Amino acid sequence: MATKGYNSYHGRSPVWKKILIIILVLLLLAGGAFLYCQNHLVYDENGKVHLELPFFSKKEPQPQQDPEKDPEDVDFLREEPQGPILEKIGAKELAVNALEEDVTAIVSGGEKTIVVDVKLADGSFTYQPAFPVEGTSVGSVISRENLKKLAEADKYVIARVSALGDTAYANAHVEAAGLLRTWDEWLWYDYSSECWLDLTKPLTQSYVKQVCKDLTDLGVDEIMLENFGWPSVGNMPAMLVPEGTDKPAVITAFVKDLRETLPKTTAVSVAINRNAPENSGLTAAVLAEFDRIYADPEKVDMDALAAAMPADFKREAQLVQLVTQAPAAGSYVLINE
């Protein structure tokens, strides 16, 4: 007879059921883990498989993005050249009045290198300087704009400057800048009846530097100093040179100061018209200080001049012939006769 209230026996669940449940749970976890790990398998450069889990990987700190900076703007480190790049040139000298005319044809022309006469021996300018000039003629407003156009075009522009041959400035500043003669301490004249400036005088130095700086502000690539140093032709005994003047030292110091005034990439060159012009102070050692030397091969022994230069002197690029017809070799400028 059954006891009242107990219709059946409720015993414990069998142990095997509990074990089965545990095994099923483990299988489910293992299957999920396997599927998860499939997304984090990485092959190295040798083809071996590695598991890289995100919570075990070391994250590199991400740079903070400047909210005001355009993400397309990329900063590049560019090493600025420490000096001019000198290559072999084949140049053409423009007509003296070229800057007063339309330069469109020159800009679009095939000449890669051009020479522009910007300051003449009488002291006049073929372009309009940015500073006031006394007692001489200057170019028009358009001449300055045209020189700037040429400099901004895909051209290498050489500005030819009569540096110390300058009758107008000498007459305007006789005592402060002019090269004087011995007997009356008035202006000395060369055989072309032109006056010169005295490089030992501070005003002369500041004026020449001002001219060159104005030209580089317009973008010219090279300054060719013509009529530079002391005159090598003329009544030399009549020239007043302060006692003890070391001409090569004066020129060297000035060129160093001039380079500091101009951009580092601007070439500073010199033109000579005689062999071994020691009277001018332009000795071989001084000429070697310039980036290029320009000379007429009919007046200057180019081979002897090249031989006097240092071992690192590159004749093809640094010794330029002033000619009327292109030579077979070397750098040259086709000049206007």
Side-chain angles (χ1 to χ4, degrees):
M1 182 177 179
T3 305
K4 187 178 180 180
Y6 291 91
N7 294 323
S8 62
Y9 173 74
H10 296 275
R12 297 181 178 178
S13 297
V15 175
W16 65 268
K17 288 185 177 181
K18 295 180 178 180
I19 295 174
L20 180 59
I21 293 172
I22 293 173
I23 291 173
L24 290 174
V25 171
L26 291 176
L27 287 174
L28 288 173
L29 291 174
F34 176 77
L35 293 175
Y36 179 79
C37 292
Q38 287 294 313
N39 296 324
H40 297 282
L41 294 177
V42 178
Y43 290 86
D44 62 16
E45 59 184 5
N46 297 320
K48 295 181 179 180
V49 180
H50 297 277
L51 177 63
E52 290 189 1
L53 297 176
F55 42 82
F56 288 126
S57 300
K58 185 178 180 181
K59 293 184 178 180
E60 295 293 332
Q62 297 297 319
Q64 295 294 322
Q65 182 70 30
D66 186 352
E68 297 183 359
K69 186 174 182 180
D70 187 343
E72 295 185 359
D73 289 342
V74 181
D75 292 330
F76 291 98
L77 293 177
R78 177 166 38 182
E79 185 176 348
E80 293 294 333
Q82 296 302 305
I85 299 175
L86 302 176
E87 299 176 341
K88 179 181 175 181
I89 61 171
K92 179 181 179 180
E93 181 183 33
L94 302 183
V96 175
N97 64 341
L99 295 178
E100 295 292 348
E101 301 176 353
D102 187 1
V103 295
T104 303
I106 301 173
V107 170
S108 60
E111 294 87 3
K112 181 181 178 182
T113 305
I114 55 176
V115 176
V116 185
D117 288 295
V118 293
K119 181 172 176 288
L120 308 180
D122 61 2
S124 62
F125 289 80
T126 65
Y127 83 106
Q128 186 179 78
F131 52 88
V133 179
E134 304 173 62
T136 190
S137 63
V138 299
S140 64
V141 175
I142 193 64
S143 66
R144 184 176 182 86
E145 290 301 316
N146 280 338
L147 181 54
K148 187 176 181 180
K149 285 180 183 178
L150 293 175
E152 291 176 346
D154 188 20
K155 306 287 181 183
Y156 185 86
V157 180
I158 303 169
R160 187 170 182 171
V161 179
S162 180
L164 300 178
D166 190 327
T167 299
Y169 200 80
N171 275 284
H173 305 276
V174 176
E175 294 292 335
L179 180 64
L180 307 180
R181 56 195 182 197
T182 54
W183 69 81
D184 61 358
E185 297 190 6
W186 191 249
L187 294 173
W188 182 90
Y189 290 83
D190 62 19
Y191 287 159
S192 299
S193 298
E194 299 289 358
C195 300
W196 284 58
L197 305 180
D198 188 340
L199 194 58
T200 65
K201 296 178 177 179
L203 183 60
T204 294
Q205 295 194 15
S206 63
Y207 179 60
V208 175
K209 285 190 283 189
Q210 185 180 33
V211 172
C212 295
K213 179 64 167 58
D214 187 45
L215 292 167
T216 56
D217 286 345
L218 286 171
V220 304
D221 302 285
E222 181 173 343
I223 303 292
M224 183 205 305
L225 298 175
E226 189 178 40
N227 297 329
F228 187 65
W230 277 260
S232 56
V233 177
N235 187 354
M236 311 306 292
M239 190 184 305
L240 181 61
V241 180
E243 186 176 353
T245 298
D246 186 336
K247 293 180 181 178
V250 172
I251 295 174
T252 300
F254 171 76
V255 172
K256 180 180 178 181
D257 289 343
L258 176 60
R259 288 189 187 278
E260 292 177 356
T261 304
L262 307 180
K264 291 182 179 180
T265 55
T266 303
V268 178
S269 304
V270 66
I272 59 175
N273 58 9
R274 293 178 64 83
N275 287 317
E278 280 83 3
N279 288 337
S280 66
L282 295 171
T283 62
V286 173
L287 290 174
E289 295 292 323
F290 291 91
D291 293 303
R292 284 196 176 97
I293 304 170
Y294 293 78
D296 182 346
E298 294 186 0
K299 298 178 181 178
V300 176
D301 187 335
M302 307 295 269
D303 292 333
L305 178 57
M309 293 298 103
D312 61 350
F313 184 78
K314 300 175 181 178
R315 177 171 179 169
E316 283 286 301
Q318 293 183 264
L319 187 55
V320 185
Q321 305 163 80
L322 301 175
V323 293
T324 55
Q325 292 184 343
S331 292
Y332 66 89
V333 174
L334 297 177
I335 60 173
N336 294 308
E337 291 184 301

